[in-house]
Amino acid sequence: MANRNPFEIAQAQLDRAAKLLNLEPGVHAMLREPMRELHVSLPVKMDDGTTKVFKGFRVQYNDARGPNKGGIRFHPDETIDTVRALAAWMTWKCAIVDIPLGGGKGGVVCNPKEMSQRELEQLSRAYIDAVGRILGPEKDIPAPDVYTNPQTMAWMMDEFSKLRGYYCPGVITGKPLELGGSEGRGDATARGGMYTLREAAKFLDIDLSKATVAIQGFGNAGSFAAILAEEMFGSKIVAVSDSRGGIFNPDGFSAKAVLDHKNKTGSVIGFPGTKPVSNEELLELDVDVLLPSALENVITGENASRIKAKIIGELANGPTTPEADDILYKNNRFVIPDFLCNAGGVTVSYFEWVQNITGDYWEEEYVHERLDKKMTKAFHDTLTVSLERKVDMRTAAYMVAIQRVAEAMKLRGWV
Ligand code: NAD
């Protein structure tokens, strides 16, 4: 599974939903492939005086509902098929939260860990010089992804503004606040996930103030989720982990104190008053809520039958394999699927773009309020289809999203 071509997986997921939706063959065929992709060579003068040429991509998967949207990843193992798959998933993610954007994704094959800041800046600018012609606030709006960050976005926005000849913050999101970034972007993914968790708990009649929570991964998504679950619901965080291992205390611990410990020591492990737990054991703990917030393919056909959590909120992308999905559904484990659960990030990115193009900047509370509305509606749109069609939440989310994109293509007269 881990080695399967990610784009073939994305196409197989589409095929399954297309069958349930009875999609016309032409609509289905159009949704199976990206609408446009650009492959570029990026020459960069390195610090040692040599010129190195990097390979870069931008895939615009489908813009029937609005300009394309999706991050730019800098990674040594980047492939065009990974970028295509991620661009497809962005299309469905924007559609499920019903924001007027399509799906895109970009990537550069490089190893940022071996590059200086100057080299990274040159590479970021070279990417925009090569790809800028198909980007723009009205065409395609990138964002950060793996190994790119607000500084990368600032360089890219600057380069694009130079090409256009005027300040153009709406071309890219995830920028620093000083350059038109949005309030509330930092914890948006986790916060959006918490709104869907709240709705799932209401539906299942679970009192989150008495619930126990285990979280795999304690980075941006996982650590904010732990803090927010405590703050918003009073839930008890009993286990968290990172790449070095996990910690467990059935009586709970303070997520903020664990974050301080991690910031000081580099890991959650060794936090006072907790027992060590492996990343595999953490998934199988007897808790009410499990939040996989790190890696893909961690809940599999092998361990799914031992998952005890009543709700699994997928803050990570792709933590559950299709084999595991079937087992979880049969065992009445309620899954909030990744592209719904973690859509808070792109939703606040959309808010950033809206603020940039209108010049009207919002306060944090307003961002939270709007995010809550979007996530809550997306959750219930999905739940309704899941109950009506008797399918799991992931299949239902695909059905809702794909239907919306298909409808837009039909109305525009494309298919
Ligand atoms: P991050 O790099 O901030 O954190 C990742 C965490 O996972 C770290 O705590 C790391 O130690 C841990 N980790 C790494 N290897 C592990 C392993 N083998 N076992 C357990 N933990 C391990 O990344 P992030 O931004 O929090 O992203 C996490 C997941 O959430 C990814 O799947 C990402 O695609 C998804 N996601 C993030 C956002 C966002 O806005 N940050 C948005 C959508 C989806």
Side-chain angles (χ1 to χ4, degrees):
M1 181 72 203
N3 293 329
R4 251 175 84 190
N5 178 330
F7 187 47
E8 282 172 15
I9 296 176
Q11 287 181 318
Q13 290 164 334
L14 167 75
D15 294 347
R16 189 160 172 230
K19 202 163 161 203
L20 286 163
L21 287 167
N22 260 329
L23 273 194
E24 295 93 318
V27 178
H28 184 189
M30 188 68 191
L31 290 174
R32 279 194 111 243
E33 299 291 335
M35 290 180 62
R36 198 174 300 109
E37 48 184 63
L38 186 56
H39 295 224
V40 292
S41 297
L42 308 170
V44 172
K45 279 234 160 55
M46 305 302 280
D47 290 346
D48 64 7
T50 60
T51 295
K52 203 165 164 186
V53 180
F54 296 90
K55 188 103 206 95
F57 312 108
R58 184 73 190 170
V59 174
Q60 297 180 334
Y61 199 82
N62 189 295
D63 60 5
R65 290 171 43 87
N68 300 283
K69 179 100 196 78
I72 299 170
R73 180 177 282 199
F74 284 181
H75 201 277
D77 303 327
E78 192 67 310
T79 66
I80 184 62
D81 277 333
T82 314
V83 184
R84 285 177 181 139
L86 291 164
W89 290 325
M90 281 306 296
T91 312
W92 318 140
K93 192 185 286 201
C94 291
I96 193 75
V97 277
D98 204 9
I99 56 180
L101 296 169
K105 204 81 188 187
V108 177
V109 187
C110 66
N111 189 351
K113 288 187 177 165
E114 290 172 357
M115 295 171 70
S116 69
Q117 281 296 100
R118 194 202 64 84
E119 289 168 342
L120 285 170
E121 178 175 350
Q122 294 309 310
L123 180 62
S124 305
R125 292 186 185 278
Y127 184 80
I128 295 299
D129 292 342
V131 175
R133 69 201 66 191
I134 64 164
L135 303 180
E138 60 297 288
K139 285 198 268 191
D140 184 356
I141 308 117
D145 199 78
V146 177
Y147 293 141
T148 54
N149 55 36
Q151 176 62 72
T152 326
M153 300 303 107
W155 289 325
M156 291 185 170
M157 186 278 277
D158 180 67
E159 192 65 18
F160 187 83
S161 297
K162 281 181 181 160
L163 291 174
R164 282 253 172 128
Y166 54 89
Y167 179 57
C168 200
V171 65
I172 210 158
T173 61
K175 300 180 294 297
L177 272 179
E178 295 81 353
L179 291 176
S182 179
E183 296 286 353
R185 178 63 184 89
D187 68 6
T189 299
R191 189 175 289 274
M194 292 303 105
Y195 295 139
T196 63
L197 172 60
R198 180 193 65 204
E199 296 307 304
K202 266 191 228 160
F203 169 66
L204 297 169
D205 218 0
I206 292 171
D207 180 355
L208 284 177
S209 71
K210 298 199 178 75
T212 51
V213 181
I215 304 176
Q216 185 184 63
F218 206 64
N220 177 289
S223 65
F224 277 125
I227 291 167
L228 289 171
E230 247 173 29
E231 250 177 43
M232 291 167 63
F233 314 127
S235 305
K236 201 192 279 180
I237 312 301
V238 296
V240 298
S241 68
D242 58 32
S243 56
R244 289 167 49 191
I247 55 172
F248 174 54
N249 178 346
D251 298 325
F253 45 74
S254 152
K256 274 204 178 114
V258 175
L259 185 60
D260 288 343
H261 175 81
K262 182 173 168 103
N263 287 341
K264 269 189 226 129
T265 64
S267 174
V268 298
I269 55 179
F271 181 71
T274 59
K275 290 192 301 198
V277 64
S278 72
N279 264 299
E280 295 72 32
E281 289 163 345
L282 179 143
L283 296 170
E284 298 175 21
L285 288 173
D286 191 2
V287 290
D288 299 304
V289 178
L290 173 66
L291 302 175
S293 311
L295 306 175
E296 316 79 64
N297 300 336
V298 290
I299 303 178
T300 64
E302 197 278 316
N303 66 1
S305 59
R306 297 193 298 275
I307 304 281
K308 298 177 194 70
K310 300 181 188 84
I311 304 178
I312 298 139
E314 296 180 337
L315 286 170
N317 279 316
T320 307
T321 67
E323 299 75 35
D325 262 333
D326 292 341
I327 298 169
L328 294 173
Y329 188 58
K330 208 173 69 211
N331 290 352
N332 272 325
R333 306 287 174 239
F334 189 91
V335 175
I336 312 171
D338 50 6
F339 71 99
L340 167 62
C341 191
N342 68 33
V346 74
T347 304
V348 175
S349 269
Y350 157 64
F351 296 160
E352 178 176 337
W353 172 75
V354 170
Q355 293 169 75
N356 294 153
I357 56 181
T358 59
D360 178 18
Y361 284 84
W362 307 350
E363 286 173 8
E364 193 170 22
E365 295 75 56
Y366 186 59
V367 171
H368 294 168
E369 202 182 298
R370 302 258 329 229
L371 177 63
D372 191 349
K373 276 196 187 140
K374 281 280 177 212
M375 298 302 299
T376 300
K377 176 155 190 316
F379 177 87
H380 287 286
D381 289 347
T382 305
L383 181 63
T384 302
V385 170
S386 161
L387 297 174
E388 274 175 16
R389 300 291 304 264
K390 297 191 172 43
V391 291
D392 62 45
M393 284 288 282
R394 190 182 321 279
T395 308
Y398 270 106
M399 290 171 72
V400 173
I402 287 164
Q403 178 79 47
R404 285 181 181 160
V405 182
E407 207 49 50
M409 291 200 305
K410 280 194 257 177
L411 286 167
R412 291 183 68 165
W414 292 0
V415 283

